[in-house]
Amino acid sequence: MLIGLISDTHIPDRARIIPQNVLDAFKDVDLIIHAGDLTTQSVIDELEEIAPVMAIQGNMDRVAGLDLPKARTIEVEGIKIGVVHGEVYPRGDTQQLLYLAKQLDVNILISGHSHQPKIEQIEDVLLLNPGSPIVPRLADRTVMLLEVNDKNVDVEIIKIGAPVCSALDFTQYPED
């Protein structure tokens, strides 16, 4: 099974639409997992045109009033996968993410929140963060592809754009 991983899209507050490069990267996936901070239902609707979407609530989704679960788990070909937004501080702290994975009793934990892509094996848990295709933090714009095939796992970070500095996004300023 091929799964597209995405997080921290922040639409429409930080971008108007999902970048076409994301849609292209996900064209062959069987499932899309969004690790929170969608900020609008339209993100799910657009991604569902490609494949079924499993999404969880991020901190900004609560602010936007999106009623999504805070955590979800699925089993894919004998591999237990958990999804949380990853609201741990400091952001991306692997020890706290490992504890969340243990609480969910999963082999793979997908999280977001840090806006930085990460693939890290800690003990018996694979920690994945697809980064952000819209507003990365000190990183490229990214999503991930996760392939699970007969208990074999392969993960690929897909760069969908260059790093961006929001201070240089002149579309946020009205024209006179």
Side-chain angles (χ1 to χ4, degrees):
M1 175 180 258
L2 185 62
I3 305 170
L5 307 180
I6 188 170
S7 187
D8 299 289
T9 47
H10 293 276
I11 292 173
D13 52 320
R14 307 232 180 125
R16 291 183 185 99
I17 59 170
I18 297 171
Q20 184 61 45
N21 289 349
V22 171
L23 306 177
D24 294 343
F26 287 171
K27 68 181 171 45
D28 295 324
V29 301
D30 303 300
L31 174 69
I32 297 171
I33 295 177
H34 197 302
D37 278 359
L38 306 83
T39 67
T40 182
Q41 176 67 35
S42 68
V43 172
I44 293 172
D45 298 340
E46 185 171 358
L47 292 173
E48 280 184 336
E49 292 178 16
I50 299 170
V53 175
M54 184 173 100
I56 56 90
Q57 185 182 73
N59 55 302
M60 297 306 293
D61 297 324
R62 284 193 302 279
V63 172
L66 275 181
D67 186 23
L68 296 166
K70 290 184 180 175
R72 293 186 69 180
T73 61
I74 59 168
E75 188 165 325
V76 177
E77 299 189 32
I79 303 288
K80 292 181 183 176
I81 300 171
V83 187
V84 297
H85 187 54
E87 290 177 64
V88 297
Y89 297 93
R91 288 178 194 262
D93 183 74
T94 53
Q95 197 62 49
Q96 292 180 69
L97 291 170
L98 175 64
Y99 292 147
L100 290 172
K102 299 284 187 183
Q103 285 178 332
L104 294 172
D105 189 28
V106 294
N107 309 106
I108 298 172
L109 182 71
I110 299 162
S111 66
H113 195 53
S114 72
H115 296 224
Q116 297 174 321
K118 180 179 264 192
I119 301 171
E120 188 168 346
Q121 179 83 37
I122 303 219
E123 296 179 16
D124 57 344
V125 176
L126 181 61
L127 299 176
L128 301 178
N129 186 324
S132 173
I134 307 290
V135 282
R137 288 194 181 111
L138 303 173
D140 291 322
R141 298 175 189 215
T142 56
V143 294
M144 279 184 178
L145 293 177
L146 167 64
E147 186 167 14
V148 180
N149 188 358
D150 194 28
K151 292 196 178 185
N152 292 314
V153 173
D154 188 33
V155 183
E156 180 181 3
I157 296 172
I158 306 293
K159 180 179 169 181
I160 61 103
V164 63
C165 175
S166 62
L168 298 178
D169 178 9
F170 296 112
T171 63
Q172 65 184 322
Y173 304 109
E175 292 183 29
D176 290 334

